[in-house]
């Protein structure tokens, strides 16, 4: 079976969040099940060194935003179809934003071109390549199923995966023509959303299947509270919607073989995890031995992630003997807030503002607890990394967080299945209450270690979800 994926990010090449981890890891898991995946990805500057190692397999003169060519490259176990269109993708800074943090004004053209190139490939533009299924990820790829539907040809069946419905790709109606979209599709049953063009809505209307990244989020987005205005559209298509939990790359995230760690460890040698705590504290200027748990955050600093509530709970966390290490970047007021907290509590709170992949591994290995107080979380990957590293997750009861962490309540402790802490109220008070529970559990080393072992045994690989994707693909064809 042949699957063509299209996405705007792919680890380890280009990443702003979990989407990249998923697109980078799922193809390998599918390969072991006999599914051959190729990934259409923009040729951003980080990918330029790969271009000369590949083969040009297609050229397009009339993409939105101009011309482009497709270069096929094998790298990191993936087969990439890079869209080389320097006028759209040869830019410094973020993948989606300029140096001031503002969206590039031609993002509709950039990702319209990506989607159109992918649709043409899906329809046989590359000699000898006829994929069975087109699998698009998020709004940046969302026009692909729309272009397939617009063509009057025989096309592969299509899937859109929603990684985060907060991001929809919404643009003024004046760009319809630039994107080669039919104006008679611009109505509420089609591409129109409150007078604008909504790319994700287009995919939700015109894909054969819709998936999202956890069963709980699949239910949540059917409600006005979580659907971000698209809950009605999703309810009308709920017969084709399902939630498939993300897995993680258990080779890239393996505490017994991780080059970013001070010392490798596994569930049988948890004592060696301490060396990583010492290394992390030294790196961040935290006091090495305070006795209480070291909490960490590895995250985009945005309101989605509930970190404003955590900021309000910092005095309580420190007063109770905990320490806090932050790795993240994002909203300036949150960055400033955590830098101020680090200044107010030297040795107890540290903030590393920026993006650092190896450091994120040391954070996971060196901390006792990873905090994820999200207001909504389609899946979340850092709690899965935490489980794998014996770093107990403290998570809000939402989306994929609720699907992956077993709360240390009395019944779960008695049954020896607890893997972390789940709480409901994302506020300073809710966080303070759960911090108290964590600190109490941490003061019982036997309980703590048994929870670490439960966590490290919890299945987090792609194995079962890759099978679920394969079954979905098979059903479609
Ligand atoms: P989201 O995709 O919403 O940002 P996920 O939990 O799915 O959330 O994925 C976030 C990914 O980005 C994880 O791999 C996490 O380790 C990584 N990450 C987030 N912030 C940073 C950072 N500042 N430095 C390194 N890695 C980070
Ligand atoms: C999104 C979501 C996150 C999810 C990731 C990968 O960025 O915010 O919850 O884990 O996509 O699917």
């Amino acid at each position: 079976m042949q699957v063509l994926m299209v996405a705007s990010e792919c680890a380890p090449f280009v990443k702003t969040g979990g989407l990249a981890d998923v697109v980078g890891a799922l193809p390998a898991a599918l390969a072991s099940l006999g599914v051959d995946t190729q990934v259409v990805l923009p040729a951003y500057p980080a990918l330029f060194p790969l271009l000369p190692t590949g083969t040009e397999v297609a050229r397009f003169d009339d993409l939105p935003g101009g011309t482009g060519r497709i270069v096929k490259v094998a790298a990191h176990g993936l087969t990439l179809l890079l869209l080389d269109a320097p006028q759209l993708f040869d830019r410094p800074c973020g993948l989606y934003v300029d140096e001031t943090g503002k969206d590039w004004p031609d993002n509709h053209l950039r990702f319209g071109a990506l989607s159109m190139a992918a649709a043409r490939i899906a329809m046989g533009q590359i000699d000898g390549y006829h994929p069975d299924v087109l699998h698009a990820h998020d709004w940046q790829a969302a026009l692909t199923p729309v272009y397939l539907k617009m063509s009057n040809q025989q096309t592969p069946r299509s899937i859109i995966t929603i990684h985060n419905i907060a991001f929809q790709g919404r643009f003024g109606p004046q760009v319809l023509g630039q994107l080669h979209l039919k104006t008679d599709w611009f109505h509420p049953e089609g591409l129109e959303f409150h007078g604008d063009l909504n790319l994700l809505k287009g995919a939700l209307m015109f894909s054969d299947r819709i998936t999202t990244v956890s069963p709980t989020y699949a239910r949540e987005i059917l409600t006005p509270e979580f659907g971000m205005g698209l809950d009605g559209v999703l309810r009308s298509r709920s017969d084709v919607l399902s939630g498939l939990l993300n897995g993680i790359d258990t080779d890239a995230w393996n505490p017994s073989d991780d080059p970013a760690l001070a010392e490798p460890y596994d569930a049988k040698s948890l004592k060696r995890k301490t060396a990583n705590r010492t290394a992390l504290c030294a790196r961040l200027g935290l006091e090495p031995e305070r006795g209480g748990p070291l909490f960490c955050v590895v995250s985009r600093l945005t309101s989605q992630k509930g970190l404003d509530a955590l900021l309000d709970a910092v005095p309580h966390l420190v007063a109770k003997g905990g320490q806090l290490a932050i790795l993240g970047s994002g909203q300036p007021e949150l960055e400033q807030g955590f830098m101020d907290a680090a200044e107010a509590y030297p040795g107890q709170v540290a903030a590393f503002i920026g993006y650092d992949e190896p450091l994120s591994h040391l954070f996971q290995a060196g901390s006792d607890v990873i905090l994820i107080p999200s207001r909504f979380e389609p899946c979340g990957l850092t709690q899965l990394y935490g489980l794998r590293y014996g770093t107990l997750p403290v998570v809000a009861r939402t989306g994929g967080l609720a699907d992956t962490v077993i709360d240390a309540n009395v019944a779960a402790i008695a049954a020896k299945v607890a893997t972390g802490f789940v709480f409901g109220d994302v506020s300073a008070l809710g966080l303070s209450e759960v911090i108290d529970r964590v600190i109490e559990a941490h003061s019982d080393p036997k309980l703590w270690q048994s929870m670490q072992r439960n966590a490290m045994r919890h299945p987090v690989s792609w194995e079962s979800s890759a099978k679920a994707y394969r079954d979905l693909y098979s059903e479609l064809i």
Side-chain angles (χ1 to χ4, degrees):
M1 192 191 307
Q2 308 240 39
V3 174
L4 181 65
M5 284 197 191
V6 49
S8 59
E9 302 186 18
C10 180
F13 311 106
V14 275
K15 166 167 167 180
T16 70
L19 168 67
D21 293 303
V22 171
V23 176
L26 178 55
L30 287 169
S32 65
L33 302 171
V35 179
D36 173 30
T37 309
Q38 307 200 15
V39 183
V40 185
L41 187 70
Y44 304 105
L47 289 145
F48 286 176
L50 289 181
L51 289 174
T53 70
T55 316
E56 183 179 307
V57 289
R59 248 177 199 282
F60 306 106
D61 300 328
D62 56 348
L63 298 175
T67 60
R69 62 182 191 127
I70 298 290
V71 178
K72 182 173 176 178
V73 182
H76 261 274
L78 293 159
T79 305
L80 302 175
L81 296 169
L82 298 176
L83 173 58
D84 183 24
Q87 76 282 12
L88 299 174
F89 298 114
D90 182 6
R91 305 197 183 162
C93 308
L95 304 183
Y96 315 119
V97 295
D98 66 15
E99 65 283 359
T100 67
K102 280 231 290 284
D103 285 351
W104 293 110
D106 58 350
N107 272 348
H108 59 294
L109 297 176
R110 301 172 76 223
F111 298 106
L114 177 74
S115 302
M116 184 170 283
R120 299 252 181 96
I121 296 168
M123 289 188 285
Q125 192 85 33
I126 298 178
D127 273 349
Y129 181 56
H130 299 282
D132 303 295
V133 176
L134 178 283
H135 185 168
H137 296 269
D138 268 353
W139 75 264
Q140 297 91 339
L143 280 181
T144 317
V146 178
Y147 289 133
L148 289 184
K149 209 46 119 200
M150 257 172 44
S151 80
N152 290 319
Q153 297 178 34
Q154 172 98 3
T155 68
R157 310 299 300 282
S158 60
I159 300 180
I160 178 77
T161 294
I162 305 166
H163 292 265
N164 191 337
I165 207 162
F167 303 106
Q168 302 179 357
R170 203 169 154 173
F171 302 96
Q174 74 284 357
V175 308
L176 272 175
Q178 296 169 35
L179 291 173
H180 310 198
L181 290 167
K182 291 190 179 171
T183 44
D184 56 352
W185 285 29
F186 190 69
H187 54 74
E189 307 308 314
L191 304 168
E192 194 246 354
F193 183 75
H194 301 290
D196 282 339
L197 168 66
N198 183 319
L199 305 190
L200 184 62
K201 179 181 174 186
L204 300 182
M205 297 303 293
F206 297 114
S207 298
D208 295 306
R209 290 296 167 97
I210 302 168
T211 70
T212 186
V213 288
S214 69
T216 294
Y217 194 61
R219 288 191 297 275
E220 287 173 341
I221 53 180
L222 296 174
T223 67
E225 190 187 349
F226 291 94
M228 306 272 173
L230 290 175
D231 46 295
V233 173
L234 284 165
R235 284 195 300 277
S236 75
R237 300 221 66 211
S238 59
D239 55 327
V240 297
L241 168 68
S242 56
L244 279 61
L245 207 56
N246 286 334
I248 62 168
D249 179 339
T250 47
D251 293 328
W253 292 91
N254 177 3
S256 63
D257 180 26
D258 184 335
L261 269 49
E263 195 159 325
Y265 63 94
D266 60 20
K268 291 198 198 81
S269 57
L270 275 169
K271 277 215 169 76
R272 288 159 65 183
K273 187 168 161 49
T274 318
N276 294 296
R277 177 172 170 152
T278 309
L280 181 60
C281 288
R283 173 94 187 256
L284 299 176
L286 288 170
E287 264 174 34
E289 283 304 333
R290 205 184 176 219
L294 172 57
F295 294 78
C296 81
V297 169
V298 179
S299 185
R300 292 185 289 120
L301 304 181
T302 69
S303 55
Q304 173 192 342
K305 303 290 181 178
L307 296 169
D308 46 321
L310 176 60
L311 257 183
D312 294 338
V314 167
H316 183 82
L317 186 152
V318 176
K320 290 291 175 132
Q323 288 173 290
L324 177 65
I326 305 283
L327 170 58
S329 60
Q331 288 171 5
E333 68 281 10
L334 288 172
E335 293 185 352
Q336 192 57 51
F338 284 111
M339 287 192 293
D340 292 346
E343 215 176 288
Y345 301 101
Q348 315 311 332
V349 177
F352 186 103
I353 303 301
Y355 190 94
D356 189 322
E357 189 77 26
L359 188 57
S360 73
H361 288 237
L362 186 62
F363 263 65
Q364 291 279 4
S367 306
D368 300 298
V369 177
I370 178 142
L371 277 166
I372 311 156
S374 305
R375 294 201 164 83
F376 66 94
E377 195 61 75
C379 180
L381 297 177
T382 57
Q383 83 279 14
L384 303 180
Y385 301 140
L387 291 170
R388 177 116 171 110
Y389 280 62
T391 302
L392 302 184
V394 171
V395 302
R397 188 178 296 107
T398 186
L401 300 174
D403 290 333
T404 52
V405 179
I406 302 174
D407 180 54
N409 58 40
V410 178
I413 291 174
K416 297 192 169 36
V417 294
T419 59
F421 303 84
V422 185
F423 70 103
D425 170 24
V426 178
S427 69
L429 182 62
L431 269 159
S432 299
E433 283 171 5
V434 75
I435 286 165
D436 290 348
R437 288 209 287 139
V438 173
I439 286 176
E440 197 187 328
H442 187 257
S443 68
D444 178 348
K446 236 176 103 192
L447 169 63
W448 193 264
Q449 268 182 29
S450 81
M451 285 181 65
Q452 286 182 301
R453 295 211 174 91
N454 295 342
M456 294 174 90
R457 267 199 305 271
H458 186 91
V460 289
S461 80
W462 270 106
E463 199 182 324
S464 72
S465 290
K467 282 190 186 134
Y469 276 109
R470 187 224 22 216
D471 293 348
L472 184 67
Y473 300 148
S474 304
E475 238 176 74
L476 268 179
I477 57 181

